[in-house]
Amino acid sequence: MNEDDLARTGSSGNACTNIPIYYMCQIPAQTLAYAGKVVYMKSTEIRQLLRSQLGQYYTYHFDPQEDWDATTKVEFGNLADTAQTTFYTIFSNRKECSSPGAVANFLRMKREAKIDPLDQMMGWVKTHFADLQTTDGVPYHFFETDAVEDLKAEILELTDSDHRQDTVSLWPLVSEA
């Protein structure tokens, strides 16, 4: 635990998370010098998050209110941008969300067809979590190493947006690390 800068991993502004990160001397089942465990949200929490993001996106792009003043428009625009970025971050490995523009097109087409994309998105989340271990139905990723630099790299990978081809970033779905 007495490692320089361990708690600063991801604090450079590249990782925009609001997840609690707990530091302890040892994680149960740990056999190597360093270990990490990233616990994701419960399915109900993810559904609520995605529903909220869809609502924010749709409100700005499809249901704006005529009486919004300039400040309100900017606030709703920011919420819609965050929603679009969240969908791109989580689902960038899907052709429907392979770029911010693809996300906008996907959501527009679903809206025009009067199809709620939430169940489709939840199916994609389930696919993301298919290979993870679970405790009481909650998915988590456990990793361990003998090198602190490897630990830092793994933590950063799990808490940062990386938009390389076929790479998703699940940090918006992290409950704690």
Side-chain angles (χ1 to χ4, degrees):
M1 284 302 302
N2 196 14
E3 298 292 339
D4 291 339
D5 295 329
L6 181 60
R8 298 178 58 80
T9 300
S11 68
S12 65
N14 294 327
C16 41
T17 61
N18 288 319
I19 55 174
I21 298 181
Y22 302 100
Y23 296 92
M24 57 187 67
C25 291
Q26 190 165 6
I27 295 175
Q30 177 180 340
T31 60
L32 300 178
Y34 302 98
K37 183 177 180 182
V38 174
V39 180
Y40 295 95
M41 295 176 183
K42 297 175 185 175
S43 179
T44 55
E45 295 169 319
I46 294 170
R47 180 173 283 278
Q48 183 179 19
L49 170 73
L50 296 178
R51 171 59 65 217
S52 173
Q53 295 296 298
L54 284 167
Q56 292 169 352
Y57 186 88
Y58 285 162
T59 297
Y60 181 75
H61 288 286
F62 304 120
D63 299 319
Q65 302 300 305
E66 292 181 21
D67 63 344
W68 284 352
D69 60 22
T71 302
T72 302
K73 284 181 185 177
V74 168
E75 289 173 359
F76 275 95
N78 289 340
L79 291 172
D81 289 346
T82 297
Q84 184 174 4
T85 300
T86 298
F87 298 140
Y88 173 52
T89 298
I90 299 169
F91 304 121
S92 61
N93 67 328
R94 301 289 176 170
K95 68 179 178 178
E96 297 92 332
C97 298
S98 59
S99 69
V103 170
N105 188 50
F106 169 69
L107 295 175
R108 180 186 50 76
M109 288 178 15
K110 291 293 186 181
R111 177 69 177 219
E112 288 173 358
K114 295 182 176 24
I115 297 172
D116 185 353
L118 183 59
D119 287 335
Q120 183 175 6
M121 290 177 164
M122 288 302 295
W124 293 341
V125 169
K126 186 176 179 180
T127 300
H128 287 328
F129 291 162
D131 295 330
L132 295 180
Q133 297 172 308
T134 61
T135 299
D136 298 325
V138 177
Y140 68 91
H141 178 75
F142 175 80
F143 53 94
E144 57 185 334
T145 180
D146 280 320
V148 70
E149 291 306 318
D150 291 342
L151 177 68
K152 289 179 185 181
E154 186 79 13
I155 290 170
L156 188 59
E157 182 179 327
L158 294 168
T159 59
D160 191 19
S161 294
D162 180 357
H163 294 298
R164 290 177 286 157
Q165 189 172 357
D166 296 328
T167 301
V168 298
S169 298
L170 300 178
W171 66 259
L173 308 179
V174 172
S175 177
E176 64 184 53

